Amino acid sequence: MTDGTWITLISVGVTCLFILGVPVFLVIAYWVIGCSFVLGLPLDNIGTALSDVFTDGFALLAMPLFILTGDLINRSGIARRLSDFAYSCLGWLRGGLAMASLAACGLFAAISGSNSATTATIGSMLHPEMVKGGYDERFSAATAAAGGTVGIIIPPSIIFIVYGFLMNLPISDLFVAGIIPGALMVLGMQFACWILCRINGWGHLIPLQLNRVLKTAFGAWLGFFAIGLVLWGIYTGKFSPTEAAGVTVGFCIIVGVICLPLHKFLGGKAEDRPHTEKTYRDMLVVQGFSITEIPSITMRSAQITGILAPLIAISVVMQQILSILGAQQFIGDFVTGMGGYYAVLFTAMIIVFVSGMVLESLPVTIILAPILAPIAHSIGVEPVQFAVIFLVGASIGFITPPYGLNLYVASGVTGVPYFRLLPFTVPYLVALISVWIIVALVPELSTFLLPNR
């Protein structure tokens, strides 16, 4: 048989493994090893590529640190305080609690940089509250899933780190470029949420009280400080994204360890009292955690990193093989053959969207970004802007079947079956796609905040 036949059989085989639920890392690894044998490539090339990624990828050090940050702020209670503040501001609107959960996702994303962590944390906290508040449980779970999409757009973002590493772009610029599009995604989903809740009459209204807003804002000051610390340091160039991740982890550990004894001194009342009964003294500290809990928190973060890092490394080898096979040239010719600026741009966006329906954002980025980014640049799309366009499209894949990672996460933390969530994701998909198109058509939304622009 010819090499092409062997590669086709290998591709069909690994596709079957993917459908059967084999982890993506193993699917890509099997394909890479099989194709290496067929093409006569030495297997030590795989080891060399993996070694280079782990030893030379300084920017990738930010990834495990931001994952750890998300776990620390969740365990310390900071995430709960941020969601309380969002509800105090939006609870007077129909669907206010659901809109607050979306705002809380945005605030949590501004510290953690992870879509799945955002969905799991906010979903586990606010889904029971939404159900008690009269919301449909399927809608509540779908809202948490949709809110998690901003986890990779609002800085800091793990996937922006990967994209910057692959495409040799300043990660700090990518972070800044994601601020406005991420905020628009939250606002777009909140508008869709408000319309749906008005139609169905979901949610109990609470009065807008300045005292309540001030209390919850005061209680969330540690979260606001962490967000400001990251954005200020990166935007001003005081430290790199990797250094920002280390600083944020250190801040969260200090806060968690110091706040635990203060929380115990208050007898736990800072977390257990209703908002109307909390004093400013109660709101001063969060729950915190002990030093002995840090190893278990770190281990959980390390497990997630252990899934992502090898996938990045093996995908680098996959890129090399795809280049040898001419896949990049084929896709490039197809996209550029569409014609003018908008035809090429929207064709690239459709490819990203369809790929996101069946793959997680990480392999989509690793496989397609090196192919589509140079094409976009050749037609005049600024590289940082295309990075935002690309990753906003990839993030929408988190709530599109058949993959829809956030839907699986939301189903797991809420107990609502996966397929029962799907109809309630449609309004959010419409909102996100609308924002995506606007971001693609208005470059200033991605580049306005960039330094020296």
Side-chain angles (χ1 to χ4, degrees), residues 180-244:
I180 294 178
L184 289 176
M185 290 171 67
V186 173
L187 292 174
M189 289 188 290
Q190 286 181 325
F191 181 69
C193 174
W194 176 73
I195 292 177
L196 199 59
C197 289
R198 279 187 62 87
I199 293 174
N200 293 279
W202 289 331
H204 301 314
L205 304 183
I206 63 172
L208 178 62
Q209 297 177 342
L210 180 60
N211 186 51
R212 185 200 302 268
V213 173
L214 292 176
K215 274 187 180 182
T216 53
F218 185 67
W221 74 274
L222 290 171
F224 295 139
F225 185 86
I227 295 171
L229 181 65
V230 173
L231 296 181
W232 169 80
I234 294 174
Y235 189 80
T236 60
K238 298 297 183 183
F239 34 71
S240 69
T242 303
E243 293 165 341

Short mmCIF file of all heavy atoms in Angstrom, two decimals, residues 180-244:
data_model
loop_
_atom_site.label_atom_id
_atom_site.label_comp_id
_atom_site.label_asym_id
_atom_site.label_seq_id
_atom_site.Cartn_x
_atom_site.Cartn_y
_atom_site.Cartn_z
N ILE A 180 -11.61 44.00 25.90
CA ILE A 180 -12.87 44.53 25.36
C ILE A 180 -13.73 43.42 24.74
O ILE A 180 -14.93 43.33 25.04
CB ILE A 180 -12.60 45.65 24.35
CG1 ILE A 180 -11.96 46.86 25.06
CG2 ILE A 180 -13.88 46.07 23.65
CD1 ILE A 180 -11.62 48.01 24.13
N PRO A 181 -13.17 42.54 23.89
CA PRO A 181 -14.00 41.44 23.37
C PRO A 181 -14.59 40.56 24.47
O PRO A 181 -15.75 40.14 24.37
CB PRO A 181 -13.03 40.66 22.48
CG PRO A 181 -12.02 41.67 22.04
CD PRO A 181 -11.84 42.57 23.23
N GLY A 182 -13.80 40.29 25.52
CA GLY A 182 -14.32 39.48 26.62
C GLY A 182 -15.48 40.15 27.32
O GLY A 182 -16.49 39.52 27.65
N ALA A 183 -15.35 41.47 27.55
CA ALA A 183 -16.43 42.22 28.18
C ALA A 183 -17.68 42.23 27.29
O ALA A 183 -18.81 42.11 27.79
CB ALA A 183 -15.97 43.64 28.48
N LEU A 184 -17.49 42.36 25.98
CA LEU A 184 -18.62 42.33 25.05
C LEU A 184 -19.31 40.97 25.06
O LEU A 184 -20.55 40.89 24.93
CB LEU A 184 -18.16 42.68 23.64
CG LEU A 184 -17.75 44.14 23.40
CD1 LEU A 184 -17.23 44.31 21.97
CD2 LEU A 184 -18.92 45.08 23.64
N MET A 185 -18.54 39.91 25.19
CA MET A 185 -19.14 38.58 25.27
C MET A 185 -20.05 38.47 26.48
O MET A 185 -21.16 37.93 26.40
CB MET A 185 -18.05 37.51 25.31
CG MET A 185 -17.28 37.35 24.01
SD MET A 185 -15.82 36.28 24.17
CE MET A 185 -16.61 34.69 24.49
N VAL A 186 -19.58 38.98 27.63
CA VAL A 186 -20.41 38.93 28.84
C VAL A 186 -21.67 39.76 28.65
O VAL A 186 -22.79 39.31 28.97
CB VAL A 186 -19.61 39.45 30.05
CG1 VAL A 186 -20.51 39.56 31.28
CG2 VAL A 186 -18.43 38.51 30.37
N LEU A 187 -21.53 40.97 28.12
CA LEU A 187 -22.70 41.83 27.92
C LEU A 187 -23.68 41.22 26.92
O LEU A 187 -24.91 41.30 27.12
CB LEU A 187 -22.25 43.21 27.43
CG LEU A 187 -21.47 44.07 28.44
CD1 LEU A 187 -20.96 45.34 27.78
CD2 LEU A 187 -22.34 44.41 29.64
N GLY A 188 -23.17 40.63 25.86
CA GLY A 188 -24.05 39.99 24.88
C GLY A 188 -24.84 38.85 25.49
O GLY A 188 -26.05 38.71 25.24
N MET A 189 -24.18 38.02 26.29
CA MET A 189 -24.88 36.91 26.94
C MET A 189 -25.87 37.41 27.99
O MET A 189 -26.95 36.83 28.16
CB MET A 189 -23.86 35.95 27.57
CG MET A 189 -23.07 35.14 26.55
SD MET A 189 -22.05 33.86 27.32
CE MET A 189 -20.80 34.87 28.13
N GLN A 190 -25.52 38.49 28.70
CA GLN A 190 -26.45 39.05 29.66
C GLN A 190 -27.71 39.58 28.98
O GLN A 190 -28.82 39.44 29.51
CB GLN A 190 -25.76 40.17 30.46
CG GLN A 190 -24.76 39.67 31.49
CD GLN A 190 -24.14 40.80 32.27
OE1 GLN A 190 -23.90 41.88 31.74
NE2 GLN A 190 -23.84 40.56 33.54
N PHE A 191 -27.56 40.19 27.82
CA PHE A 191 -28.72 40.69 27.08
C PHE A 191 -29.63 39.53 26.67
O PHE A 191 -30.86 39.60 26.81
CB PHE A 191 -28.27 41.48 25.85
CG PHE A 191 -29.39 42.05 25.05
CD1 PHE A 191 -30.17 43.09 25.55
CD2 PHE A 191 -29.68 41.55 23.78
CE1 PHE A 191 -31.22 43.63 24.80
CE2 PHE A 191 -30.72 42.08 23.03
CZ PHE A 191 -31.49 43.12 23.54
N ALA A 192 -29.02 38.45 26.15
CA ALA A 192 -29.81 37.27 25.77
C ALA A 192 -30.50 36.67 27.00
O ALA A 192 -31.66 36.25 26.93
CB ALA A 192 -28.90 36.23 25.10
N CYS A 193 -29.78 36.64 28.11
CA CYS A 193 -30.33 36.12 29.36
C CYS A 193 -31.52 36.96 29.82
O CYS A 193 -32.56 36.44 30.23
CB CYS A 193 -29.23 36.10 30.42
SG CYS A 193 -29.77 35.65 32.08
N TRP A 194 -31.38 38.27 29.76
CA TRP A 194 -32.44 39.17 30.20
C TRP A 194 -33.71 38.98 29.37
O TRP A 194 -34.82 38.90 29.91
CB TRP A 194 -31.96 40.61 30.08
CG TRP A 194 -32.99 41.64 30.42
CD1 TRP A 194 -33.46 41.96 31.66
CD2 TRP A 194 -33.67 42.49 29.48
NE1 TRP A 194 -34.40 42.96 31.57
CE2 TRP A 194 -34.55 43.31 30.25
CE3 TRP A 194 -33.63 42.65 28.11
CZ2 TRP A 194 -35.37 44.27 29.66
CZ3 TRP A 194 -34.44 43.60 27.51
CH2 TRP A 194 -35.30 44.39 28.29
N ILE A 195 -33.55 38.85 28.05
CA ILE A 195 -34.71 38.64 27.18
C ILE A 195 -35.40 37.32 27.52
O ILE A 195 -36.64 37.26 27.66
CB ILE A 195 -34.28 38.65 25.70
CG1 ILE A 195 -33.81 40.05 25.29
CG2 ILE A 195 -35.42 38.18 24.80
CD1 ILE A 195 -33.30 40.13 23.86
N LEU A 196 -34.62 36.25 27.67
CA LEU A 196 -35.20 34.94 27.95
C LEU A 196 -35.91 34.92 29.30
O LEU A 196 -36.99 34.32 29.44
CB LEU A 196 -34.10 33.87 27.90
CG LEU A 196 -34.55 32.42 27.72
CD1 LEU A 196 -35.33 32.26 26.43
CD2 LEU A 196 -33.36 31.49 27.74
N CYS A 197 -35.33 35.57 30.29
CA CYS A 197 -35.94 35.60 31.62
C CYS A 197 -37.21 36.45 31.63
O CYS A 197 -38.17 36.14 32.35
CB CYS A 197 -34.94 36.13 32.65
SG CYS A 197 -33.59 34.98 33.01
N ARG A 198 -37.24 37.52 30.87
CA ARG A 198 -38.45 38.34 30.77
C ARG A 198 -39.58 37.55 30.11
O ARG A 198 -40.75 37.62 30.53
CB ARG A 198 -38.17 39.62 29.99
CG ARG A 198 -37.52 40.72 30.81
CD ARG A 198 -37.43 42.02 30.00
NE ARG A 198 -38.75 42.51 29.63
CZ ARG A 198 -39.50 43.30 30.40
NH1 ARG A 198 -39.04 43.67 31.59
NH2 ARG A 198 -40.67 43.72 29.98
N ILE A 199 -39.25 36.79 29.09
CA ILE A 199 -40.26 36.00 28.39
C ILE A 199 -40.86 34.94 29.32
O ILE A 199 -42.08 34.71 29.32
CB ILE A 199 -39.65 35.34 27.14
CG1 ILE A 199 -39.28 36.40 26.10
CG2 ILE A 199 -40.62 34.32 26.53
CD1 ILE A 199 -38.53 35.86 24.90
N ASN A 200 -39.99 34.31 30.13
CA ASN A 200 -40.44 33.20 30.98
C ASN A 200 -40.76 33.61 32.41
O ASN A 200 -41.24 32.79 33.19
CB ASN A 200 -39.36 32.10 31.00
CG ASN A 200 -39.19 31.42 29.65
OD1 ASN A 200 -39.95 30.54 29.30
ND2 ASN A 200 -38.17 31.84 28.90
N GLY A 201 -40.47 34.88 32.76
CA GLY A 201 -40.76 35.33 34.11
C GLY A 201 -39.90 34.69 35.18
O GLY A 201 -40.34 34.51 36.33
N TRP A 202 -38.67 34.34 34.83
CA TRP A 202 -37.78 33.67 35.79
C TRP A 202 -37.11 34.67 36.71
O TRP A 202 -36.75 35.77 36.30
CB TRP A 202 -36.70 32.87 35.06
CG TRP A 202 -37.22 31.65 34.36
CD1 TRP A 202 -38.30 30.90 34.72
CD2 TRP A 202 -36.68 31.04 33.19
NE1 TRP A 202 -38.48 29.86 33.84
CE2 TRP A 202 -37.49 29.92 32.89
CE3 TRP A 202 -35.61 31.33 32.35
CZ2 TRP A 202 -37.26 29.08 31.80
CZ3 TRP A 202 -35.36 30.52 31.27
CH2 TRP A 202 -36.17 29.40 31.01
N GLY A 203 -36.89 34.25 37.95
CA GLY A 203 -36.09 35.03 38.89
C GLY A 203 -36.91 35.91 39.81
O GLY A 203 -37.96 36.43 39.41
N HIS A 204 -36.45 36.02 41.05
CA HIS A 204 -37.05 36.92 42.02
C HIS A 204 -36.23 38.20 42.07
O HIS A 204 -35.00 38.16 42.12
CB HIS A 204 -37.10 36.27 43.41
CG HIS A 204 -37.88 34.99 43.44
ND1 HIS A 204 -39.11 34.85 42.85
CD2 HIS A 204 -37.59 33.78 44.00
CE1 HIS A 204 -39.56 33.62 43.04
NE2 HIS A 204 -38.65 32.95 43.73
N LEU A 205 -36.91 39.33 42.08
CA LEU A 205 -36.21 40.62 42.08
C LEU A 205 -35.86 41.03 43.50
O LEU A 205 -36.60 40.76 44.45
CB LEU A 205 -37.10 41.68 41.44
CG LEU A 205 -37.60 41.40 40.02
CD1 LEU A 205 -38.41 42.59 39.51
CD2 LEU A 205 -36.44 41.11 39.09
N ILE A 206 -34.71 41.66 43.63
CA ILE A 206 -34.32 42.27 44.91
C ILE A 206 -34.09 43.75 44.65
O ILE A 206 -33.70 44.14 43.55
CB ILE A 206 -33.04 41.62 45.49
CG1 ILE A 206 -31.84 41.84 44.56
CG2 ILE A 206 -33.24 40.14 45.78
CD1 ILE A 206 -30.51 41.41 45.16
N PRO A 207 -34.37 44.58 45.64
CA PRO A 207 -34.19 46.02 45.42
C PRO A 207 -32.72 46.38 45.26
O PRO A 207 -31.84 45.74 45.84
CB PRO A 207 -34.79 46.65 46.67
CG PRO A 207 -34.69 45.58 47.71
CD PRO A 207 -34.87 44.27 46.99
N LEU A 208 -32.46 47.39 44.45
CA LEU A 208 -31.10 47.90 44.31
C LEU A 208 -30.81 48.83 45.48
O LEU A 208 -31.41 49.91 45.59
CB LEU A 208 -30.95 48.65 42.99
CG LEU A 208 -29.58 49.28 42.71
CD1 LEU A 208 -28.49 48.23 42.64
CD2 LEU A 208 -29.62 50.10 41.41
N GLN A 209 -29.93 48.39 46.37
CA GLN A 209 -29.62 49.16 47.57
C GLN A 209 -28.14 49.51 47.60
O GLN A 209 -27.28 48.62 47.48
CB GLN A 209 -29.98 48.36 48.82
CG GLN A 209 -31.46 48.03 48.94
CD GLN A 209 -31.77 47.18 50.16
OE1 GLN A 209 -30.89 46.56 50.74
NE2 GLN A 209 -33.04 47.14 50.54
N LEU A 210 -27.85 50.78 47.73
CA LEU A 210 -26.46 51.22 47.74
C LEU A 210 -25.69 50.57 48.87
O LEU A 210 -24.52 50.20 48.70
CB LEU A 210 -26.41 52.75 47.87
CG LEU A 210 -25.01 53.37 47.88
CD1 LEU A 210 -24.26 53.05 46.60
CD2 LEU A 210 -25.11 54.88 48.10
N ASN A 211 -26.32 50.40 50.01
CA ASN A 211 -25.64 49.80 51.15
C ASN A 211 -25.22 48.36 50.85
O ASN A 211 -24.12 47.93 51.19
CB ASN A 211 -26.55 49.83 52.38
CG ASN A 211 -25.84 49.34 53.63
OD1 ASN A 211 -24.76 49.81 53.96
ND2 ASN A 211 -26.45 48.39 54.32
N ARG A 212 -26.11 47.60 50.18
CA ARG A 212 -25.79 46.22 49.82
C ARG A 212 -24.65 46.17 48.82
O ARG A 212 -23.74 45.36 48.92
CB ARG A 212 -27.03 45.54 49.24
CG ARG A 212 -26.83 44.05 48.94
CD ARG A 212 -27.87 43.57 47.93
NE ARG A 212 -29.22 43.80 48.41
CZ ARG A 212 -29.92 42.89 49.10
NH1 ARG A 212 -29.39 41.72 49.38
NH2 ARG A 212 -31.15 43.18 49.48
N VAL A 213 -24.69 47.08 47.83
CA VAL A 213 -23.63 47.12 46.82
C VAL A 213 -22.29 47.43 47.47
O VAL A 213 -21.27 46.80 47.17
CB VAL A 213 -23.97 48.15 45.73
CG1 VAL A 213 -22.79 48.31 44.77
CG2 VAL A 213 -25.22 47.74 44.96
N LEU A 214 -22.28 48.42 48.37
CA LEU A 214 -21.04 48.79 49.04
C LEU A 214 -20.50 47.65 49.90
O LEU A 214 -19.30 47.41 49.95
CB LEU A 214 -21.25 50.05 49.88
CG LEU A 214 -21.52 51.34 49.09
CD1 LEU A 214 -21.80 52.50 50.05
CD2 LEU A 214 -20.33 51.67 48.19
N LYS A 215 -21.41 46.97 50.60
CA LYS A 215 -20.98 45.86 51.45
C LYS A 215 -20.32 44.76 50.63
O LYS A 215 -19.24 44.27 50.97
CB LYS A 215 -22.18 45.28 52.21
CG LYS A 215 -22.52 45.96 53.52
CD LYS A 215 -23.60 45.17 54.23
CE LYS A 215 -23.98 45.82 55.56
NZ LYS A 215 -25.00 45.03 56.28
N THR A 216 -21.00 44.36 49.56
CA THR A 216 -20.45 43.26 48.76
C THR A 216 -19.19 43.70 48.01
O THR A 216 -18.28 42.90 47.81
CB THR A 216 -21.50 42.75 47.76
OG1 THR A 216 -22.01 43.85 46.99
CG2 THR A 216 -22.66 42.08 48.49
N ALA A 217 -19.14 44.96 47.58
CA ALA A 217 -17.92 45.45 46.94
C ALA A 217 -16.77 45.45 47.93
O ALA A 217 -15.64 45.07 47.59
CB ALA A 217 -18.15 46.86 46.39
N PHE A 218 -17.06 45.86 49.16
CA PHE A 218 -16.04 45.85 50.21
C PHE A 218 -15.59 44.41 50.49
O PHE A 218 -14.40 44.14 50.68
CB PHE A 218 -16.61 46.49 51.47
CG PHE A 218 -15.61 46.64 52.58
CD1 PHE A 218 -14.54 47.51 52.46
CD2 PHE A 218 -15.75 45.92 53.75
CE1 PHE A 218 -13.62 47.66 53.48
CE2 PHE A 218 -14.83 46.06 54.78
CZ PHE A 218 -13.76 46.93 54.64
N GLY A 219 -16.56 43.49 50.48
CA GLY A 219 -16.22 42.09 50.74
C GLY A 219 -15.41 41.46 49.62
O GLY A 219 -14.67 40.50 49.85
N ALA A 220 -15.56 41.98 48.40
CA ALA A 220 -14.85 41.41 47.25
C ALA A 220 -13.55 42.14 46.94
O ALA A 220 -12.97 41.94 45.88
CB ALA A 220 -15.76 41.44 46.03
N TRP A 221 -13.08 42.96 47.87
CA TRP A 221 -11.92 43.80 47.56
C TRP A 221 -10.68 42.98 47.24
O TRP A 221 -9.85 43.38 46.42
CB TRP A 221 -11.63 44.75 48.73
CG TRP A 221 -11.02 44.10 49.94
CD1 TRP A 221 -11.67 43.49 50.97
CD2 TRP A 221 -9.62 44.01 50.25
NE1 TRP A 221 -10.78 43.01 51.90
CE2 TRP A 221 -9.51 43.33 51.48
CE3 TRP A 221 -8.46 44.44 49.61
CZ2 TRP A 221 -8.29 43.05 52.09
CZ3 TRP A 221 -7.23 44.17 50.21
CH2 TRP A 221 -7.16 43.48 51.44
N LEU A 222 -10.55 41.79 47.85
CA LEU A 222 -9.38 40.96 47.55
C LEU A 222 -9.41 40.47 46.10
O LEU A 222 -8.38 40.41 45.44
CB LEU A 222 -9.35 39.76 48.51
CG LEU A 222 -9.02 40.09 49.97
CD1 LEU A 222 -9.24 38.87 50.85
CD2 LEU A 222 -7.58 40.59 50.10
N GLY A 223 -10.62 40.13 45.62
CA GLY A 223 -10.73 39.71 44.23
C GLY A 223 -10.42 40.85 43.28
O GLY A 223 -9.71 40.66 42.28
N PHE A 224 -10.94 42.05 43.58
CA PHE A 224 -10.65 43.20 42.73
C PHE A 224 -9.16 43.53 42.74
O PHE A 224 -8.59 43.90 41.71
CB PHE A 224 -11.45 44.41 43.21
CG PHE A 224 -12.93 44.25 43.07
CD1 PHE A 224 -13.79 44.69 44.07
CD2 PHE A 224 -13.48 43.66 41.96
CE1 PHE A 224 -15.16 44.54 43.95
CE2 PHE A 224 -14.85 43.50 41.82
CZ PHE A 224 -15.68 43.95 42.82
N PHE A 225 -8.55 43.38 43.89
CA PHE A 225 -7.11 43.66 43.98
C PHE A 225 -6.32 42.68 43.13
O PHE A 225 -5.38 43.06 42.43
CB PHE A 225 -6.65 43.59 45.44
CG PHE A 225 -5.21 43.99 45.62
CD1 PHE A 225 -4.86 45.32 45.80
CD2 PHE A 225 -4.20 43.04 45.63
CE1 PHE A 225 -3.54 45.70 45.96
CE2 PHE A 225 -2.88 43.40 45.79
CZ PHE A 225 -2.54 44.73 45.96
N ALA A 226 -6.71 41.38 43.17
CA ALA A 226 -6.00 40.37 42.37
C ALA A 226 -6.15 40.66 40.88
O ALA A 226 -5.19 40.56 40.11
CB ALA A 226 -6.53 38.98 42.71
N ILE A 227 -7.38 41.03 40.46
CA ILE A 227 -7.61 41.37 39.05
C ILE A 227 -6.76 42.58 38.65
O ILE A 227 -6.09 42.58 37.62
CB ILE A 227 -9.10 41.65 38.80
CG1 ILE A 227 -9.93 40.39 39.03
CG2 ILE A 227 -9.32 42.18 37.38
CD1 ILE A 227 -11.43 40.63 39.02
N GLY A 228 -6.82 43.61 39.48
CA GLY A 228 -6.06 44.82 39.18
C GLY A 228 -4.56 44.58 39.16
O GLY A 228 -3.84 45.16 38.35
N LEU A 229 -4.09 43.71 40.05
CA LEU A 229 -2.66 43.40 40.11
C LEU A 229 -2.19 42.79 38.81
O LEU A 229 -1.15 43.18 38.25
CB LEU A 229 -2.39 42.45 41.28
CG LEU A 229 -0.93 42.04 41.52
CD1 LEU A 229 -0.09 43.25 41.91
CD2 LEU A 229 -0.85 40.95 42.59
N VAL A 230 -2.95 41.82 38.29
CA VAL A 230 -2.57 41.15 37.05
C VAL A 230 -2.59 42.13 35.88
O VAL A 230 -1.61 42.25 35.12
CB VAL A 230 -3.52 39.96 36.77
CG1 VAL A 230 -3.22 39.38 35.39
CG2 VAL A 230 -3.35 38.89 37.82
N LEU A 231 -3.69 42.84 35.73
CA LEU A 231 -3.84 43.74 34.58
C LEU A 231 -2.85 44.91 34.64
O LEU A 231 -2.27 45.29 33.62
CB LEU A 231 -5.28 44.26 34.50
CG LEU A 231 -6.35 43.20 34.24
CD1 LEU A 231 -7.73 43.85 34.16
CD2 LEU A 231 -6.06 42.42 32.97
N TRP A 232 -2.66 45.48 35.83
CA TRP A 232 -1.73 46.59 35.96
C TRP A 232 -0.32 46.15 35.63
O TRP A 232 0.40 46.82 34.87
CB TRP A 232 -1.78 47.15 37.39
CG TRP A 232 -0.67 48.12 37.68
CD1 TRP A 232 -0.62 49.44 37.34
CD2 TRP A 232 0.57 47.83 38.35
NE1 TRP A 232 0.57 50.00 37.76
CE2 TRP A 232 1.33 49.03 38.38
CE3 TRP A 232 1.11 46.68 38.91
CZ2 TRP A 232 2.58 49.10 38.96
CZ3 TRP A 232 2.37 46.75 39.49
CH2 TRP A 232 3.09 47.96 39.52
N GLY A 233 0.10 45.02 36.18
CA GLY A 233 1.47 44.56 35.96
C GLY A 233 1.77 44.26 34.50
O GLY A 233 2.82 44.61 33.98
N ILE A 234 0.80 43.62 33.82
CA ILE A 234 1.01 43.26 32.43
C ILE A 234 0.91 44.48 31.52
O ILE A 234 1.72 44.67 30.62
CB ILE A 234 -0.01 42.17 32.00
CG1 ILE A 234 0.27 40.87 32.77
CG2 ILE A 234 0.06 41.92 30.50
CD1 ILE A 234 -0.76 39.79 32.52
N TYR A 235 -0.10 45.32 31.77
CA TYR A 235 -0.33 46.47 30.90
C TYR A 235 0.81 47.48 30.98
O TYR A 235 1.20 48.06 29.97
CB TYR A 235 -1.65 47.15 31.26
CG TYR A 235 -2.09 48.20 30.27
CD1 TYR A 235 -2.72 47.85 29.09
CD2 TYR A 235 -1.86 49.55 30.51
CE1 TYR A 235 -3.13 48.80 28.17
CE2 TYR A 235 -2.25 50.52 29.59
CZ TYR A 235 -2.88 50.14 28.43
OH TYR A 235 -3.27 51.09 27.52
N THR A 236 1.34 47.67 32.18
CA THR A 236 2.41 48.64 32.35
C THR A 236 3.78 48.05 32.05
O THR A 236 4.77 48.79 32.00
CB THR A 236 2.42 49.19 33.78
OG1 THR A 236 2.62 48.11 34.72
CG2 THR A 236 1.11 49.89 34.09
N GLY A 237 3.85 46.74 31.86
CA GLY A 237 5.13 46.11 31.59
C GLY A 237 5.99 45.90 32.81
O GLY A 237 7.19 45.60 32.69
N LYS A 238 5.41 46.01 34.01
CA LYS A 238 6.18 45.81 35.24
C LYS A 238 6.64 44.37 35.37
O LYS A 238 7.70 44.10 35.93
CB LYS A 238 5.34 46.20 36.46
CG LYS A 238 4.92 47.67 36.50
CD LYS A 238 6.12 48.59 36.59
CE LYS A 238 5.67 50.05 36.69
NZ LYS A 238 6.82 50.98 36.72
N PHE A 239 5.82 43.45 34.88
CA PHE A 239 6.27 42.06 34.84
C PHE A 239 5.60 41.34 33.68
O PHE A 239 4.55 41.75 33.18
CB PHE A 239 6.00 41.31 36.16
CG PHE A 239 4.76 41.70 36.90
CD1 PHE A 239 3.50 41.36 36.41
CD2 PHE A 239 4.83 42.40 38.09
CE1 PHE A 239 2.36 41.70 37.09
CE2 PHE A 239 3.68 42.76 38.78
CZ PHE A 239 2.44 42.41 38.28
N SER A 240 6.22 40.26 33.26
CA SER A 240 5.71 39.46 32.14
C SER A 240 4.51 38.65 32.61
O SER A 240 4.25 38.53 33.81
CB SER A 240 6.81 38.51 31.64
OG SER A 240 7.06 37.51 32.62
N PRO A 241 3.74 38.07 31.66
CA PRO A 241 2.62 37.23 32.07
C PRO A 241 3.04 36.08 32.99
O PRO A 241 2.31 35.73 33.91
CB PRO A 241 2.08 36.70 30.73
CG PRO A 241 2.41 37.77 29.76
CD PRO A 241 3.75 38.31 30.20
N THR A 242 4.21 35.50 32.73
CA THR A 242 4.68 34.42 33.60
C THR A 242 4.95 34.95 35.00
O THR A 242 4.59 34.32 36.01
CB THR A 242 5.96 33.79 33.02
OG1 THR A 242 5.68 33.32 31.70
CG2 THR A 242 6.43 32.63 33.88
N GLU A 243 5.60 36.10 35.09
CA GLU A 243 5.85 36.71 36.39
C GLU A 243 4.55 37.14 37.06
O GLU A 243 4.39 37.01 38.28
CB GLU A 243 6.78 37.90 36.23
CG GLU A 243 8.19 37.51 35.78
CD GLU A 243 8.99 38.70 35.28
OE1 GLU A 243 8.40 39.74 34.94
OE2 GLU A 243 10.24 38.58 35.21
N ALA A 244 3.60 37.62 36.25
CA ALA A 244 2.30 38.01 36.80
C ALA A 244 1.60 36.81 37.42
O ALA A 244 0.96 36.92 38.48
CB ALA A 244 1.42 38.61 35.70
#
